[in-house]
Amino acid sequence: MTTAIAGDRLKQRFDKWDVNGDGVLERADFEREAERIVGAFGQSMSSAEGQAMLKALTGLFEYEANEAGVGPNGSINEEQFRSVNEKLIFTDGEATFNRVLRPVMKAVVGLCDSDHNGMIDQQEFAAYLQAIGVDRAQAQSAFQQIDTIGDGQLSVDELLAAVRNFHFGKLDVNLLG
Ligand SMILES: [Ca+2]
Ligand SMILES: [Ca+2]
């Protein structure tokens, strides 16, 4: 990995998640982000899929706030965010990363898995990228890179590996939007 890319990508992530633009991350930002993603899929927040995304993202905020030492109603500044996530991505190892991000990626799969087989096929993936605002032209090559098993379906584990690889600078598609 190159540290510069990793640093840029954490900065992008911070800015994206600071939905209300006040320079710190708080619980409300993660609630708004859940609403944004669920809305982009044309689903309601009261659906099971909407509730799963809200729970996953507020759970992620609680993890970040706890690690930053600010408490569940606190706010996380950019330096705290960088330090928590550098540790999570580069120091703690894959098992911890997967434990923290799995609920979010499962919620993503829940939102775009139109045929309910627990995996994302090419068509579902294209709809997903569109919902999170990633250039559709990237969909096919990204799909092939993420589908490491090569069965034409993306599993939650393959998607988690892709999010890690994005932060390591090994993949250019940002699956968290
Ligand atoms: Ca904020
Ligand atoms: Ca599917």
Side-chain angles (χ1 to χ4, degrees), residues 109 112-121 124 153:
V109 169
C112 49
D113 183 19
S114 334
D115 66 3
H116 304 289
N117 71 343
M119 313 266 274
I120 303 304
D121 63 25
E124 291 164 343
Q153 303 273 341

Coordinates of all heavy atoms in Angstrom, one line a residue, residues 109 112-121 124 153, ligand 2:
V109 N -25.9 -5.7 0.9 CA -26.4 -6.9 0.1 C -27.9 -7.0 0.2 O -28.6 -7.2 -0.8 CB -25.7 -8.2 0.6 CG1 -26.3 -9.4 -0.1 CG2 -24.2 -8.1 0.2
C112 N -29.6 -4.6 -2.2 CA -29.5 -4.8 -3.7 C -29.7 -6.2 -4.1 O -29.8 -6.4 -5.3 CB -28.2 -4.2 -4.2 SG -26.7 -4.6 -3.5
D113 N -29.9 -7.1 -3.2 CA -30.1 -8.5 -3.6 C -31.6 -8.8 -4.1 O -32.3 -9.4 -3.3 CB -29.7 -9.4 -2.4 CG -29.8 -10.9 -2.7 OD1 -29.8 -11.2 -3.9 OD2 -29.9 -11.6 -1.7
S114 N -31.9 -8.4 -5.3 CA -33.3 -8.4 -5.8 C -33.8 -9.9 -5.8 O -35.0 -10.1 -5.6 CB -33.5 -7.8 -7.1 OG -32.5 -6.8 -7.4
D115 N -32.9 -10.8 -6.1 CA -33.4 -12.2 -6.2 C -33.2 -13.0 -4.9 O -33.5 -14.2 -4.9 CB -32.8 -12.9 -7.4 CG -31.3 -13.2 -7.2 OD1 -30.7 -12.8 -6.2 OD2 -30.6 -13.7 -8.2
H116 N -32.8 -12.3 -3.9 CA -32.8 -12.9 -2.5 C -32.0 -14.2 -2.4 O -32.4 -15.1 -1.7 CB -34.2 -13.1 -1.9 CG -35.0 -11.9 -1.9 ND1 -34.8 -10.8 -1.1 CD2 -36.0 -11.5 -2.7 CE1 -35.6 -9.8 -1.3 NE2 -36.4 -10.2 -2.3
N117 N -30.8 -14.3 -3.1 CA -30.0 -15.5 -2.9 C -28.8 -15.2 -2.0 O -27.9 -16.0 -1.9 CB -29.5 -16.0 -4.3 CG -28.5 -15.2 -5.0 OD1 -28.4 -14.0 -4.6 ND2 -27.8 -15.7 -5.9
G118 N -28.7 -14.0 -1.4 CA -27.6 -13.7 -0.5 C -26.4 -13.2 -1.1 O -25.4 -13.0 -0.4
M119 N -26.4 -13.2 -2.5 CA -25.2 -12.8 -3.2 C -25.6 -11.7 -4.2 O -26.7 -11.5 -4.5 CB -24.6 -14.0 -4.0 CG -24.5 -15.2 -3.2 SD -22.9 -15.4 -2.5 CE -22.0 -16.2 -3.8
I120 N -24.6 -11.0 -4.8 CA -24.8 -9.9 -5.7 C -24.3 -10.4 -7.1 O -23.2 -10.7 -7.3 CB -24.0 -8.7 -5.3 CG1 -24.4 -8.2 -3.9 CG2 -24.2 -7.5 -6.3 CD1 -25.8 -8.0 -3.7
D121 N -25.3 -10.4 -8.0 CA -24.9 -10.8 -9.4 C -24.5 -9.5 -10.2 O -24.7 -8.4 -9.6 CB -25.9 -11.6 -10.1 CG -27.3 -10.9 -10.3 OD1 -27.3 -9.7 -10.3 OD2 -28.3 -11.6 -10.4
E124 N -27.4 -6.8 -10.3 CA -27.6 -6.2 -9.0 C -26.4 -5.3 -8.6 O -26.6 -4.2 -8.0 CB -27.7 -7.3 -7.9 CG -29.0 -8.2 -8.0 CD -29.0 -9.5 -7.2 OE1 -27.9 -9.9 -6.9 OE2 -30.0 -10.0 -7.1
Q153 N -20.9 -14.3 -8.8 CA -21.7 -13.8 -7.7 C -20.7 -13.1 -6.7 O -19.6 -13.7 -6.5 CB -22.4 -14.9 -7.0 CG -23.3 -15.7 -7.9 CD -24.7 -15.1 -8.0 OE1 -25.1 -14.3 -7.2 NE2 -25.5 -15.5 -9.0
Ligands
CA2 CA -28.6 -11.9 -5.7

